Amino acid sequence: MKIEIFPAKIGDCFLISYGNNYEKHILIDGGYKETYTKFLKKRLKEINKLNQKLELIIVTHIDQDHIGGILSLVEENGTKLENNIIKIEEIWHNSYKHLQDDIRKKVIITPKELKVLEEIISEGISLEAESGDISSYQGSMLASYIYENNYKWNTQFEGKAISVDFSKKITIDDELKIILLSPSNKELEELKREWEKELKKRILNFQLGEGKIFNDAFEFFLIRRDEEEEEGYTCSNNNGKWGELDFPKEDKSKTNGSSIAVILETKNKKVLFLGDSKPSIIIENLKKLVEENNYSLKFDAVKISHHGSLKNTNKELLELIESENWIFTGDGNRNKPSEKLVKYILETKKDKIKKLIFNYDIDWLKSLKEIQKEYNCEIKINLKEESKIFIL
C-alpha cells in the first residue's frame, strides 16, 4: 500500500494506492480548494493518463478543510461520462438527503422559509469567497454536483447513509476491504438535530423538505462554522518526560461526530484512517472487532484524528491500538497537531519502534528530532510544499 499525503494546511487529503503495481486508487478527502488546484489535480491527471481511475472517494464529513478540494474536483470533472480529470467509480458522502429517511412527502415551503435557505447559502458563499476556498459554483454544493452529474453515490449502502448500523465491512474488490468504524445513526441524528435547530431558530415552525436548495443550504451551513483552537490543556512534565496528560472532554462538534472513519485492508496491510472522528465511537467499534473476530489492533499506519487534536484522541484509544507509523496532518495553526499529544505518544510508546509522520515543518518539532533516538522514533517531516509518498 502506498499513501500520498497532500499539503492541506489544517485539512486532510490522502491518495491511497494499492494492487500489485499500485494501479488502484482511493481518495480520502480533498483538503481546501488550493490543495486541489496546486497539488491534487496534477496527480489525478497523471493517474488518468495511465488509464487508471479512482475506485472510491471518501468524503469523511462536511467541513471546509476536507470538502473544498473534492468540490472543485467533482465540479471540474463534469458528468460521470465526461471524466474531464479522472474517472470516479464511486463516492461516499453523507449529505442532507441521507438524514431525511422520515421525510418523503413533498413540502411546499413558504417564501419566508425559502428566503432563510437562500440567506444561509449566501452567507456561505460570501465567507468562502473571501477565503478563496470555494470555487465559483453559483450556490451549488457537493451533494448537488454528485447528483446532477450522475455519480454512483453510497451504492454499497444502497444509496443510504454511510453508517456502522447499516454495514461495517465493505468489499471494494479482490484486493481491498474497508471496515467502517464511524459514524453510527446516533451521530447522524445529532447532526440532523443541529441543522433543524438552526432553521427553527430563524423560523419557529420551519417545515423540513427535500431538494437541491435544502442540500446546498445544509452543506453551506456546516462548512462556514469556525474551528475551535486548542488551548488550556495541561501536560505534566515529570523529570522531563511527558507520560501524564489530562485529556480534555471529547469533541462536542456534531460535524466531527459525523466523520467517516475506516480501516483499509489489503492482503498484507491495514491502515486506520480516523478522519475527524470522536474517540468514544472508535473505541466501541474496535472493541467489538476484537470480541467478535479476535481482530488484531496492530496497524501498519494510523492517521490520528482531527489533525492531532487533544479532543479527538484519548488514553484508552492509544492503549488499544499499536502501529509503527503515526500520521499527523496540520500545519500548526490552531495548535493542530497538539505538541502535548505528540509528546504523550512518544513517552507512552517509548519502548516501541515507530515513525511519526508530519506533512508540515512545525517549530516545536525541531527539539523532538534531537531526542528521537532516545524514544525509538524517527520523525519524518515534509520540508517542501509538495505531496509526500510513504510505502508500507
Side-chain angles (χ1 to χ4, degrees), residues 275-333:
D276 283 4
S277 62
K278 299 182 181 182
S280 55
I281 187 172
I282 302 302
I283 291 166
E284 177 186 348
N285 286 305
L286 286 177
K287 285 182 173 180
K288 285 180 181 178
L289 280 175
V290 174
E291 292 167 4
E292 296 170 6
N293 304 300
N294 196 27
Y295 192 86
S296 169
L297 298 183
K298 182 173 175 58
F299 298 95
D300 294 284
V302 173
K303 182 268 168 185
I304 293 287
S305 181
H306 200 195
H307 326 294
S309 167
L310 282 170
K311 291 185 177 182
N312 298 78
T313 301
N314 63 23
K315 180 180 178 181
E316 184 178 4
L317 176 59
L318 291 173
E319 288 176 345
L320 270 179
I321 60 178
E322 289 296 341
S323 181
E324 291 186 1
N325 297 285
W326 301 83
I327 301 171
F328 296 84
T329 55
D331 60 3
N333 189 27

Side-chain angles (χ1 to χ4, degrees), residues 27-88:
L27 182 63
I28 300 181
D29 290 328
Y32 292 92
K33 176 186 177 182
E34 181 184 76
T35 309
Y36 171 73
T37 56
K38 291 180 67 174
F39 309 104
L40 181 60
K41 181 178 179 178
K42 178 184 176 182
R43 184 73 180 95
L44 295 179
K45 283 188 169 183
E46 291 171 352
I47 293 171
N48 187 55
K49 284 181 180 178
L50 297 172
N51 293 318
Q52 297 172 6
K53 62 184 178 180
L54 289 175
E55 308 294 335
L56 175 65
I57 295 177
I58 299 177
V59 183
T60 59
H61 61 299
I62 304 168
D63 206 341
Q64 59 181 339
D65 56 334
H66 295 253
I67 201 173
I70 303 295
L71 178 61
S72 294
L73 166 61
V74 175
E75 181 186 15
E76 282 195 14
N77 207 45
T79 68
K80 179 176 172 58
L81 298 178
E82 288 175 327
N83 302 318
N84 296 325
I85 307 298
I86 192 169
K87 183 177 180 181
I88 299 169

Side-chain angles (χ1 to χ4, degrees), residues 25-257:
H25 313 276
I26 285 180
L27 182 63
I28 300 181
D29 290 328
Y32 292 92
K33 176 186 177 182
E34 181 184 76
T35 309
Y36 171 73
T37 56
K38 291 180 67 174
F39 309 104
L40 181 60
K41 181 178 179 178
K42 178 184 176 182
R43 184 73 180 95
L44 295 179
K45 283 188 169 183
E46 291 171 352
I47 293 171
N48 187 55
K49 284 181 180 178
L50 297 172
N51 293 318
Q52 297 172 6
K53 62 184 178 180
L54 289 175
E55 308 294 335
L56 175 65
I57 295 177
I58 299 177
V59 183
T60 59
H61 61 299
I62 304 168
D63 206 341
Q64 59 181 339
D65 56 334
H66 295 253
I67 201 173
I70 303 295
L71 178 61
S72 294
L73 166 61
V74 175
E75 181 186 15
E76 282 195 14
N77 207 45
T79 68
K80 179 176 172 58
L81 298 178
E82 288 175 327
N83 302 318
N84 296 325
I85 307 298
I86 192 169
K87 183 177 180 181
I88 299 169
E89 193 63 38
E90 165 88 7
I91 299 175
W92 287 6
H93 170 52
N94 284 335
S95 72
Y96 170 76
K97 85 183 196 76
H98 299 106
L99 309 183
Q100 301 304 306
D101 284 343
D102 58 333
I103 298 177
R104 286 289 170 249
K105 64 179 181 179
K106 292 291 182 182
V107 174
I108 300 174
I109 60 175
T110 67
K112 285 186 177 181
E113 291 168 336
L114 178 62
K115 184 178 180 182
V116 165
L117 296 174
E118 289 174 341
E119 285 175 351
I120 291 172
I121 292 172
S122 179
E123 290 164 5
I125 291 175
S126 298
L127 180 65
E128 301 311 318
E130 288 174 9
S131 66
D133 290 324
I134 294 294
S135 47
S136 55
Y137 45 142
Q138 300 180 350
S140 290
M141 277 298 286
L142 185 56
S144 293
Y145 280 123
I146 295 172
Y147 177 77
E148 291 167 2
N149 291 325
N150 202 31
Y151 287 100
K152 290 171 67 177
W153 188 5
N154 293 9
T155 58
Q156 285 102 337
F157 295 80
E158 298 180 3
K160 298 178 181 179
I162 310 285
S163 169
V164 294
D165 294 312
F166 184 90
S167 180
K168 290 184 180 178
K169 193 162 188 175
I170 302 293
T171 299
I172 302 300
D173 52 43
D174 291 341
E175 297 178 272
L176 181 69
K177 293 179 174 59
I178 298 180
I179 298 175
L180 187 66
L181 300 174
S182 172
S184 71
N185 290 345
K186 174 177 174 287
E187 282 74 34
L188 295 175
E189 181 63 28
E190 288 177 352
L191 185 65
K192 174 185 171 183
R193 285 200 298 268
E194 183 148 308
W195 170 235
E196 292 173 347
K197 181 181 177 182
E198 173 67 18
L199 293 178
K200 291 177 180 179
K201 184 171 68 176
R202 302 189 185 214
I203 295 180
L204 183 59
N205 296 313
F206 201 109
Q207 296 185 85
L208 294 171
E210 295 181 296
K212 172 178 165 54
I213 194 166
F214 278 94
N215 286 327
D216 290 335
F218 173 70
E219 294 188 1
F220 273 115
F221 166 66
L222 293 180
I223 65 165
R224 66 182 173 82
R225 309 194 66 176
D226 290 333
E227 279 274 355
E228 281 188 59
E229 182 166 340
E230 304 275 314
E231 59 183 357
Y233 308 134
T234 61
C235 182
S236 66
N237 189 325
N238 182 15
N239 295 322
K241 308 305 180 186
W242 310 294
E244 297 179 16
L245 177 58
D246 297 324
F247 284 92
K249 291 183 178 179
E250 185 171 90
D251 187 357
K252 293 182 179 179
S253 165
K254 304 299 187 293
T255 310
N256 291 340

